[in-house]
Amino acid sequence: DQQVKQNSPSLSVQEGRISILNCDYTNSMFDYFLWYKKYPAEGPTFLISISSIKDKNEDGRFTVFLNKSAKHLSLHIVPSQPGDSAVYFCAAKDGGQFYFGTGTSLTVIP
Amino acid sequence: NAGVTQTPKFRVLKTGQSMTLLCAQDMNHEYMYWYRQDPGMGLRLIHYSVGEGTTAKGEVPDGYNVSRLKKQNFLLGLESAAPSQTSVYFCAGGGPYNEQFFGPGTRLTVL
């Protein structure tokens, strides 16, 4: 059973607007959450992470929010740029293991 | 620095054949991981290692074996390949803040 879910397979956003990517999880033992970006024919690239003891982490245009009570994670990209078009994966850590969502394909329209 | 590299990039096997995928890293990562990515499934952890000489099972370990004889190398073996193992395989090294650095992937087809 999928412990990390990304229910939106795709998202389209105008350049300059905000992109919000969502992720839900079921395992309350997850202690660390991460977002990765992936271009075709390449490996995923780390974007941003957050510990379970925090509810927000910001890095430039990228902000991750964690709502532990709702078991919900989101990534905000502001402003969105065409180069942000890629597949985004959320991931969660339990002990030594990482669990990934199925990905959301973001298209930023110029 | 090359980062995390994977060999080979592509491979086609027949059912029942064996092969080894090599992952090498020059970033001094203690942790290393092998994942497979299938359409609609995201990345799933096969095996991982928390240090030289250690290995552990991940989410989908059946049909695979691994070895970490040297810190910089993590090998993934398929003893008897099956069509269900057709996938893209990614290796990653673990950073100090839990982030992972991924290799470019190996596309494996089992006929």
Side-chain angles (χ1 to χ4, degrees):
Chain A
D1 192 26
Q2 195 84 11
Q3 297 190 48
V4 178
K5 297 180 182 179
Q6 293 177 258
N7 293 316
S8 297
S10 62
L11 174 69
S12 291
V13 171
Q14 288 289 134
E15 180 179 3
R17 306 294 289 268
I18 184 171
S19 294
I20 300 176
L21 294 94
N22 294 304
C23 182
D24 296 296
Y25 63 95
T26 57
N27 185 350
S28 58
M29 298 302 292
F30 288 145
D31 59 357
Y32 216 82
F33 302 88
L34 309 95
W35 283 95
Y36 289 85
K37 176 180 179 179
K38 186 181 182 303
Y39 294 117
E42 294 183 9
T45 303
F46 169 73
L47 267 180
I48 191 169
S49 62
I50 187 168
S51 165
S52 61
I53 63 172
K54 297 189 175 183
D55 54 18
K56 178 182 175 181
N57 188 27
E58 199 170 347
D59 184 2
R61 296 186 298 115
F62 302 93
T63 302
V64 56
F65 295 92
L66 176 62
N67 183 333
K68 286 185 67 178
S69 61
K71 292 189 174 69
H72 181 79
L73 186 71
S74 63
L75 174 68
H76 293 209
I77 306 174
V78 183
S80 301
Q81 299 173 353
D84 295 330
S85 296
V87 176
Y88 289 78
F89 291 97
C90 64
K93 177 174 168 285
D94 177 7
Q97 298 205 33
F98 288 84
Y99 297 86
F100 281 72
T102 52
T104 296
S105 178
L106 173 66
T107 301
V108 179
I109 304 164
Chain B
N1 286 353
V4 178
T5 59
Q6 294 182 230
T7 309
K9 288 185 168 51
F10 303 93
R11 185 73 186 266
V12 178
L13 288 179
K14 293 182 180 179
T15 297
Q17 287 185 317
S18 64
M19 78 162 295
T20 300
L21 282 67
L22 171 64
C23 177
Q25 55 105 352
D26 60 4
M27 303 172 78
N28 204 33
H29 294 310
E30 287 294 334
Y31 285 47
M32 294 187 77
Y33 307 83
W34 274 108
Y35 292 89
R36 60 179 288 173
Q37 185 189 12
D38 302 295
M41 299 293 290
L43 282 84
R44 291 182 293 168
L45 183 63
I46 304 170
H47 286 280
Y48 64 103
S49 168
V50 301
E52 181 178 317
T54 73
T55 62
K57 293 181 180 180
E59 193 180 353
V60 288
D62 294 342
Y64 304 94
N65 56 74
V66 288
S67 64
R68 183 102 180 267
L69 298 179
K70 294 182 179 180
K71 184 178 182 179
Q72 63 266 36
N73 294 336
F74 195 29
L75 279 64
L76 178 71
L78 287 74
E79 290 186 350
S80 179
S84 60
Q85 294 178 304
T86 293
S87 188
V88 181
Y89 291 86
F90 289 102
C91 175
Y97 300 105
N98 292 310
E99 75 275 27
Q100 296 175 31
F101 297 89
F102 284 83
T106 295
R107 185 173 294 275
L108 175 66
T109 301
V110 183
L111 302 175

